[in-house]
Amino acid sequence: MRQAAVFTDAALRRVLEVIDRRRPATQLRSLLAPNLVDAVLSVSEAVAGRHGTAVLHRVRLQPVGSSDTAAEVFGSYRRGDRIHAIACRVERVTAGGGGRWLVVALHIG
């Protein structure tokens, strides 16, 4: 689960940077399921430039079941004086014989 935690921390930071338009959305394509990239872009249009920059504050990870192939993640981020919730599910996907982590569900509060 350590690899999942490192991956998730980096992925959520990138998501927040894309929402704030500090990073191009193309950098999310290898980290998020395809339908989630479009969702992040729509959030970006509604939120960017309001109330300061988003900063990931805390992230906790909990394995799903007894396998090391999925985890539920919850945490918080700060934007200005407010603290918001963020949550996702990550799964290990196998492509070409190797495994990599992918965000398959995302909720930004």
Side-chain angles (χ1 to χ4, degrees):
M1 286 284 103
R2 180 126 175 93
Q3 289 176 339
V6 170
F7 164 80
T8 303
D9 184 80
L12 292 179
R13 286 180 194 280
R14 285 190 188 158
V15 165
L16 293 175
E17 290 171 358
V18 167
I19 289 172
D20 286 346
R21 297 185 178 170
R22 294 180 286 149
R23 189 178 284 268
T26 56
Q27 294 188 7
L28 294 180
R29 301 212 186 278
S30 65
L31 305 174
L32 274 63
N35 60 325
L36 295 179
V37 175
D38 294 334
V40 170
L41 289 175
S42 64
V43 169
S44 176
E45 291 175 11
V47 174
R50 293 185 185 174
H51 311 293
T53 302
V55 178
L56 191 62
H57 183 61
R58 182 172 297 182
V59 176
R60 296 291 183 258
L61 183 134
Q62 179 174 324
V64 174
S66 60
S67 69
D68 290 344
T69 60
E72 293 178 348
V73 181
F74 52 95
S76 61
Y77 68 97
R78 181 180 298 273
R79 182 181 298 279
D81 293 336
R82 300 193 65 174
I83 295 177
H84 302 271
I86 191 165
C88 69
R89 179 182 173 107
V90 295
E91 293 180 358
R92 183 182 296 274
V93 295
T94 55
R100 67 180 179 97
W101 290 96
L102 185 69
V103 177
V104 296
L106 179 65
H107 181 78
I108 302 170

